[in-house]
Amino acid sequence: QSGTSNDSLEDQIHANELEHQIFQILSRLSPKGREVFIMSRVDGLRNQEIAHKLEISIRTVETHISNVLKELRQRLGEEYNF
């Protein structure tokens, strides 16, 4: 195998590990925070769309996203340079 294939496989393994760690962290957060974050980052919805669907204010959506990102940075920061 070429070095590029090994690098690609190693990158894929690291990405899978990171994804696993992110979902582990998300599983420990509040259900609403997790739901808002997934709607934003996985489903690609805008904050206004999330607010409308969940019947909460845009500011509340922003707060949930901010809190989740802060938690992710705290738990993953050193290892992944967040």
Side-chain angles (χ1 to χ4, degrees):
Q1 289 188 3
S2 69
T4 304
S5 294
N6 288 337
D7 291 345
S8 178
L9 178 59
E10 188 173 320
D11 289 344
Q12 185 176 354
I13 290 169
H14 286 300
N16 288 343
E17 289 172 1
L18 176 59
E19 182 177 308
H20 176 74
Q21 287 183 310
I22 288 170
F23 280 102
Q24 285 280 334
I25 293 167
L26 290 176
S27 72
R28 297 184 195 117
L29 300 176
S30 73
K32 187 63 75 178
R34 181 173 51 250
E35 180 179 24
V36 167
F37 186 79
I38 290 172
M39 291 174 82
S40 172
R41 296 309 199 263
V42 177
D43 299 338
L45 298 178
R46 294 185 334 239
N47 292 357
Q48 183 177 359
E49 294 172 305
I50 297 167
H52 179 74
K53 286 183 181 237
L54 299 181
E55 299 179 349
I56 57 177
S57 73
I58 293 172
R59 181 71 186 124
T60 300
V61 171
E62 293 168 349
T63 299
H64 280 301
I65 292 170
S66 176
N67 289 343
V68 171
L69 289 173
K70 180 180 176 183
E71 187 72 19
L72 289 172
R73 279 188 209 101
Q74 287 177 343
R75 293 183 185 250
L76 299 173
E78 290 181 16
E79 187 171 348
Y80 292 98
N81 295 319
F82 280 113

